[in-house]
Amino acid sequence: LYNGTDLSSGINAEYGDFPFIHLCFGMSCAEDPEVLSQEAEDDEEYSEEGEEEEDKTEGDEVMEDPGVNLEDMTPLEREAYDLKVQLQAKREAVCDTSLFNEAQGAEPISVKIRRRRDLKGHLTKVYAMDWCSDAKHVLSASQDSRLLVWDTYSGNKIHAIELKCSWVMCCSYAPSGNFVASGGLDNVCSVYDLNDEDAQFTGKALKVLAGHDGYLGECQFLSDRQILTSSGDYMCILWDIATGQQITTLKDHNGEVDCLAILNDKNTFLSGSTDATIKLWDLREGMCKQTLMGHLSDVVDVKWLTNGYNFVTASDDGIVRLFDVRSDQEISQYSYEYPQAGVSSVDTSYSGRIIFAGYDDFNVVLWDALLGEPVAVLSEHQQKVSCLGVDKDGVALCTGSWDSYLKIWN
């Protein structure tokens, strides 16, 4: 149609050489000799092109990704791409079943979880939290320029530290409970001594670790003497706190590194990045040992299970995924049929049977790791659930939100 006029007949007579697109609908067009002749020529050209493509790909054992142009690759890039495809083929070869298929006989579980405390004290968005090793105290960081240490039994604040930069994005509790650390858009990791009362009022840090060229995505203590940081400069750095010097610099990601998870052996850790990958590192060698893929967007949180072989991840793609380092791949995923909100934080119960996932839609969903079904939904927060964590004893869950509250559940 052109301006409501049927152009299927009498085109040349009425419009002469006017340029148009000939759209065929119905028998009248299909029987047009000119159209049939043109279609025959197009089919012949398409057939010849198809034969040429078959000649080009004949004998090529690597299945090409439609989104990758192999002709533009250098020999080294092509070799790396071929190795990547071979590795994926080996992963698929050992994936002979799924976790959900093997767990079909498992009994469903019922979870009774209650809110025990509301921790009120921050004035604006809570961005990060961390449990102390005593399973009693919680550290929280907010954009009100404060680090707060809470007694979760009483709900009282026992330490308050004024920060130099309000744009804090991460915090960490030292294993001994004597030190805390934080970092954010100031590009540095600040370590504070909780036993120094003057530092709490002045905001003076015990040590300021400067070396990153981007924001601090995460910081985690290995001990009172060492701390690991990740950053928007694509790097992770292991620091000596006493000297303030870098011990090891690790770089292999192609995007900002937003989350870390250190294994109990203190030699192995995971990092998640905006390049949608998770990498497994060995601090003794300073090298990346494995790269695991599956997410379609930024990986924003990662946590080990207590067995040391599996870990869970949270991503902006709205899916929680469970990985196994032995099979070098994802073994299950947890989401609604049509994810409507990103996952901002994740952790697991002590046994690993329950996965806690905090979402951008203000909810915390408890997933059955074996059956892949949600077993409970916590809807107490009024804004995005930005952080959550389970204490080392597996007794209590702490959730933090942009609504400025932290909540303790058991």
Side-chain angles (χ1 to χ4, degrees), residues 115-130:
R115 189 178 82 252
R116 292 294 187 178
R117 290 278 186 275
D118 287 343
L119 305 182
K120 305 175 183 179
H122 284 297
L123 304 178
T124 184
K125 299 175 181 179
V126 175
Y127 260 80
M129 55 76 52
D130 192 24

Side-chain angles (χ1 to χ4, degrees), residues 91-142:
R91 290 191 185 103
E92 295 174 357
V94 299
C95 187
D96 55 351
T97 186
S98 69
L99 176 61
F100 298 150
N101 287 338
E102 292 297 310
Q104 285 181 354
E107 292 291 331
I109 58 173
S110 61
V111 178
K112 295 181 180 179
I113 184 168
R114 293 190 295 174
R115 189 178 82 252
R116 292 294 187 178
R117 290 278 186 275
D118 287 343
L119 305 182
K120 305 175 183 179
H122 284 297
L123 304 178
T124 184
K125 299 175 181 179
V126 175
Y127 260 80
M129 55 76 52
D130 192 24
W131 281 96
C132 182
S133 57
D134 62 7
K136 178 181 179 181
H137 298 99
V138 163
L139 172 70
S140 62
S142 168

Side-chain angles (χ1 to χ4, degrees), residues 234-248:
Y234 303 5
M235 292 194 301
C236 301
I237 298 178
L238 178 63
W239 301 85
D240 183 302
I241 297 174
T243 63
Q245 299 298 311
Q246 300 178 17
I247 300 173
T248 308

Side-chain angles (χ1 to χ4, degrees), residues 55-230:
D55 293 340
K56 290 179 181 179
T57 59
E58 186 176 358
D60 192 352
E61 297 178 356
V62 178
M63 184 179 294
E64 297 184 6
D65 186 338
V68 176
N69 189 351
L70 300 180
E71 295 180 355
D72 293 343
M73 290 185 177
T74 65
L76 288 177
E77 290 174 336
R78 178 58 187 268
E79 182 180 358
Y81 175 78
D82 291 347
L83 289 172
K84 178 181 176 181
V85 173
Q86 293 172 24
L87 287 172
Q88 183 59 32
K90 289 184 178 295
R91 290 191 185 103
E92 295 174 357
V94 299
C95 187
D96 55 351
T97 186
S98 69
L99 176 61
F100 298 150
N101 287 338
E102 292 297 310
Q104 285 181 354
E107 292 291 331
I109 58 173
S110 61
V111 178
K112 295 181 180 179
I113 184 168
R114 293 190 295 174
R115 189 178 82 252
R116 292 294 187 178
R117 290 278 186 275
D118 287 343
L119 305 182
K120 305 175 183 179
H122 284 297
L123 304 178
T124 184
K125 299 175 181 179
V126 175
Y127 260 80
M129 55 76 52
D130 192 24
W131 281 96
C132 182
S133 57
D134 62 7
K136 178 181 179 181
H137 298 99
V138 163
L139 172 70
S140 62
S142 168
Q143 286 192 350
D144 59 6
S145 302
R146 287 183 177 87
L147 281 179
L148 298 181
V149 177
W150 306 82
D151 183 329
T152 60
Y153 291 3
S154 64
N156 296 327
K157 298 180 287 292
I158 59 175
H159 295 288
I161 300 174
E162 290 286 342
L163 302 175
K164 300 295 184 182
C165 175
S166 63
W167 298 102
V168 61
M169 300 179 66
C170 60
C171 64
S172 179
Y173 225 130
S176 66
N178 294 322
F179 304 96
V180 295
S182 69
L185 297 185
D186 55 1
N187 299 359
V188 299
C189 179
S190 302
V191 181
Y192 300 91
D193 186 351
L194 294 180
N195 298 318
D196 185 352
E197 296 183 1
D198 293 336
Q200 298 183 40
F201 297 102
T202 63
K204 182 179 179 181
L206 172 68
K207 188 67 67 173
V208 176
L209 308 175
H212 283 293
D213 294 326
Y215 67 86
L216 232 67
E218 184 67 280
C219 61
Q220 287 192 13
F221 283 94
L222 275 77
S223 65
D224 286 356
R225 298 184 300 275
Q226 294 181 343
I227 191 170
L228 183 66
T229 60
S230 67

